[in-house]
Amino acid sequence: MAARVTIASWNVAAINNNPFEQRIKWDDDPRYNELMAKVEQFIESPGDNDVSVQNVFTGAMFDRLMESMEKEGWEGLDKVRGIWESDYQNRRIVTDFLQDKTLGKKRLVSMPDRLTNTVQCVDKTMLCRPTIINAYTEELPSVDVWFEKWMQFMFETEAEVFGPKGASRQRICTMLKQIKRSKYPDITEAEEAISVALQTVALAIFDAVMVHMLNTLARPYWYTIKMVLYRSIYENKSRRILEILNTTYASCDVICLQEAAASLIDQATASTLNDSFIILTPEQVDGVRNQNSLVFLNRSTFTECREVTNEVLTRYNAHDQLRLDDGDMFAMSAKGTDGINYFIASFHGDTNGIASTPAITALMQCLSDVLPDHIPLFGVDSNTHADSKPKTKDVREFFSDLERLSLQSCFKDAEADDMYTTFSARTFLQPQFQKATRSADVEQLADHNPKDHILYRPTDFVLEALTRDNTGDGQFIPKSVFPTMQFPSDHAALLCTLKRPTM
């Protein structure tokens, strides 16, 4: 067996379609930090900017929206008008609307935003709602301009999309769903009955306020900032990821990726990376969520391989536990040029890390049942957390689980500050204000957790070297937010050199 194996694991984070959502480290253009500071000030201390909703989303706009909703035959429009006239139009745009936690609990903005923000079409194209908080690329210089584009998108634009009964053409407004009180108990029975129309009005007000706010604060340059961010962390994201892999990680024996977009697979296969690595992808590629686990094997280290994901999933699904989505798990049997068989897997866990131990247990069951002569190597985004919280997987508990499975993490003996692989914080330019982090609180409140691990059996390997990377060049800057303009993921990349133990 080879004396050493180098393995990298990196959650490249499926494309975030809102260039403004995450705080970005961007030192080259001070206008970005200036804009974020102005937005934060607008939200926290609006002063004279806290005008009434009807001064931004006007009565005439509401009437036109009502006409379109009437044509759709939606229920309860007289009640929706009553809510507008007695409540919504008189609210202050910041203190009464954007900061209203009840709207968030009722999902009156976040639900329709999730359904219409970015529509994935059958032909792999995407349609973006005219709004500040996605990858919509046309300029929105005023609320009046925005409104015409928004109405056309919501009520006239058709998209061919996949649904429970296969592909069909739908207008965007027909994709909205009733908000169920059984799932979101803060919404009343009366609101549930009219929730399709009510959420449409709430979303229109939210989008209008976003457009109004940025044009009030930074009319000359906010659009320029958005487009630079768009090109860096959205349009050119896959290209930058491949650049990093083709330079910093070109000598690896194994590369495990998680949450890779389908476009990254296509670009990797067509790139020079394919000359050095066998590009392996799941049989069931997820082209809708765009969250795929992949494995790249160095052609000088491995000769042949076959997918065994279904064998793993059969063992996982034999138990009543959190469902894994297509693309989350990818497992391979691979023969090395040294004649040794390796069991290599890349795995992406759920947000709270609950599925990680059951998934790794299924991997080890597959190893025992199907591949007993193989050596396991796993790159995982386990979404483990540093602090013990309800309904989340504590990293110390995860280490204990691994020990019972005869595995260990590359971070087993690391100090807490040397384990974290995320350091990210949301801005206020997204629909869930309760998840935003003030600039002064980033160091204390950022998502700062040991989520990513490389797993191996201590009987097979000892850890010779471990590095984290949040720059793309193999370096790690502590307590600095990422993604950055150069590093397009909110997860650090890991690189391990594993050595055969001395007999």
Side-chain angles (χ1 to χ4, degrees):
M1 181 180 182
R4 288 175 176 80
V5 173
T6 56
I7 174 172
S9 185
W10 187 15
N11 180 329
V12 295
I15 290 172
N16 183 344
N17 65 326
N18 179 3
F20 284 130
E21 180 165 342
Q22 299 278 5
R23 290 188 179 274
I24 301 291
K25 189 178 187 306
W26 187 3
D27 298 328
D28 294 338
D29 193 333
R31 295 180 302 174
Y32 171 77
N33 288 328
E34 177 185 318
L35 175 60
M36 292 300 107
K38 286 183 174 181
V39 169
E40 191 171 307
Q41 177 72 15
F42 191 101
I43 298 300
E44 295 196 320
S45 303
D48 292 340
N49 287 317
D50 203 10
V51 299
S52 66
V53 164
Q54 62 187 326
N55 285 356
V56 176
F57 186 77
T58 66
M61 292 176 179
F62 175 78
D63 288 340
R64 278 197 50 196
L65 179 56
M66 284 291 291
E67 289 175 8
S68 294
M69 293 192 295
E70 286 170 0
K71 291 178 181 177
E72 298 301 320
W74 291 350
E75 296 181 6
L77 293 182
D78 55 336
K79 296 177 182 177
V80 171
R81 179 174 288 279
I83 292 171
W84 164 260
E85 292 177 349
S86 65
D87 183 4
Y88 284 4
Q89 69 170 343
N90 301 314
R91 291 192 181 199
R92 299 292 173 178
I93 60 173
V94 178
T95 52
D96 299 333
F97 191 84
L98 294 181
Q99 293 182 356
D100 182 5
K101 294 181 180 179
T102 303
L103 287 175
K105 291 178 179 179
K106 294 180 178 182
R107 299 298 193 272
L108 287 171
V109 173
S110 60
M111 180 65 76
D113 175 67
R114 182 172 66 84
L115 295 172
T116 67
N117 183 294
T118 304
V119 178
Q120 302 277 351
C121 300
V122 171
D123 63 2
K124 296 185 179 181
T125 60
M126 291 181 291
L127 297 175
C128 293
R129 189 179 79 246
T131 184
I132 299 295
I133 59 168
N134 64 11
Y136 184 77
T137 57
E138 293 184 30
E139 192 167 4
L140 299 171
S142 69
V143 175
D144 287 337
V145 171
W146 157 82
F147 182 65
E148 296 300 327
K149 296 177 182 293
W150 193 93
M151 290 291 290
Q152 181 178 31
F153 176 84
M154 292 295 291
F155 293 98
E156 298 178 28
T157 300
E158 286 189 344
E160 187 174 13
V161 296
F162 289 111
K165 298 181 179 180
S168 64
R169 293 195 66 82
Q170 300 179 42
R171 283 179 300 114
I172 306 302
C173 63
T174 65
M175 299 177 185
L176 298 173
K177 308 295 183 186
Q178 190 179 60
I179 300 174
K180 297 292 187 180
R181 190 168 188 267
S182 58
K183 187 170 185 180
Y184 304 106
D186 285 277
I187 201 162
T188 67
E189 290 184 9
E191 289 170 333
E192 177 183 10
I194 61 172
S195 59
V196 172
L198 192 61
Q199 67 186 280
T200 304
V201 173
L203 181 66
I205 295 171
F206 175 84
D207 282 345
V209 172
M210 290 286 109
V211 172
H212 167 78
M213 177 171 63
L214 287 202
N215 282 300
T216 298
L217 298 176
R219 173 68 188 89
Y221 64 84
W222 75 261
Y223 176 72
T224 301
I225 293 292
K226 178 177 179 178
M227 291 310 297
V228 173
L229 289 170
Y230 165 79
R231 286 190 289 270
S232 176
I233 66 176
Y234 182 90
E235 188 175 52
N236 297 324
K237 178 170 183 171
S238 293
R239 179 184 58 78
R240 177 58 183 148
I241 290 168
L242 294 177
E243 284 178 355
I244 292 171
L245 295 178
N246 225 351
T247 52
T248 306
Y249 300 96
S251 62
C252 286
D253 297 305
V254 180
I255 298 174
C256 296
L257 301 180
Q258 300 87 37
E259 289 199 84
S263 61
L264 178 68
I265 299 172
D266 296 336
Q267 292 183 41
T269 304
S271 74
T272 57
L273 201 67
N274 197 29
D275 297 334
S276 303
F277 288 87
I278 307 169
I279 309 296
L280 300 169
T281 62
E283 181 180 352
Q284 297 294 327
V285 170
D286 174 13
V288 178
R289 289 188 314 135
N290 262 335
Q291 297 179 3
N292 297 283
S293 295
L294 311 177
V295 173
F296 297 175
L297 299 180
N298 197 304
R299 294 183 184 275
S300 65
T301 309
F302 296 92
T303 57
E304 57 187 71
C305 50
R306 66 182 178 89
E307 183 175 359
V308 292
T309 305
N310 286 338
E311 286 88 337
V312 177
L313 293 178
T314 296
R315 286 156 179 81
Y316 180 90
N317 293 330
H319 305 280
D320 184 17
Q321 49 206 4
L322 195 65
R323 177 182 176 273
L324 298 183
D325 290 310
D326 287 346
D328 285 344
M329 173 69 76
F330 183 44
M332 302 295 303
S333 164
K335 180 176 287 294
T337 53
D338 55 7
I340 301 296
N341 294 319
Y342 296 85
F343 180 33
I344 298 170
S346 181
F347 170 70
H348 163 59
D350 61 290
T351 301
N352 295 326
I354 302 303
S356 294
T357 292
I360 294 163
T361 300
L363 282 167
M364 295 305 286
Q365 289 174 342
C366 181
L367 177 73
S368 175
D369 297 345
V370 183
L371 307 168
D373 62 338
H374 285 53
I375 291 176
L377 281 173
F378 307 147
V380 303
D381 163 24
S382 63
N383 274 319
T384 42
H385 291 69
D387 300 321
S388 182
K389 298 178 182 178
K391 299 182 180 180
T392 62
K393 189 69 175 181
D394 183 281
V395 70
R396 292 172 290 273
E397 181 186 356
F398 182 62
F399 287 166
S400 297
D401 296 340
L402 293 177
E403 188 174 355
R404 287 193 291 271
L405 293 169
S406 301
L407 290 168
Q408 74 178 38
S409 163
C410 58
F411 287 123
K412 177 179 181 293
D413 298 319
E415 297 293 330
D417 279 347
D418 296 328
M419 283 198 289
Y420 69 86
T421 58
T422 61
F423 199 87
S424 60
R426 293 192 189 188
T427 73
F428 286 94
L429 293 176
Q430 43 86 25
Q432 295 178 287
F433 273 30
Q434 73 276 15
K435 295 185 178 180
T437 304
R438 297 171 63 249
S439 55
D441 298 332
V442 167
E443 187 167 322
Q444 181 182 0
L445 300 180
D447 178 354
H448 176 220
N449 284 294
K451 295 188 176 183
D452 303 272
H453 304 265
I454 291 171
L455 310 180
Y456 53 92
R457 288 188 304 205
T459 53
D460 296 325
F461 297 106
V462 294
L463 181 65
E464 185 174 70
L466 166 64
T467 59
R468 293 174 295 168
D469 178 6
N470 64 359
T471 63
D473 59 9
Q475 304 299 312
F476 188 84
I477 303 173
K479 296 185 178 180
S480 180
V481 294
F482 52 99
T484 68
M485 297 300 282
Q486 293 75 39
F487 188 81
S489 174
D490 59 356
H491 287 246
L494 301 179
L495 177 62
C496 282
T497 301
L498 301 174
K499 185 174 69 170
R500 289 292 289 164
T502 303
M503 299 299 181

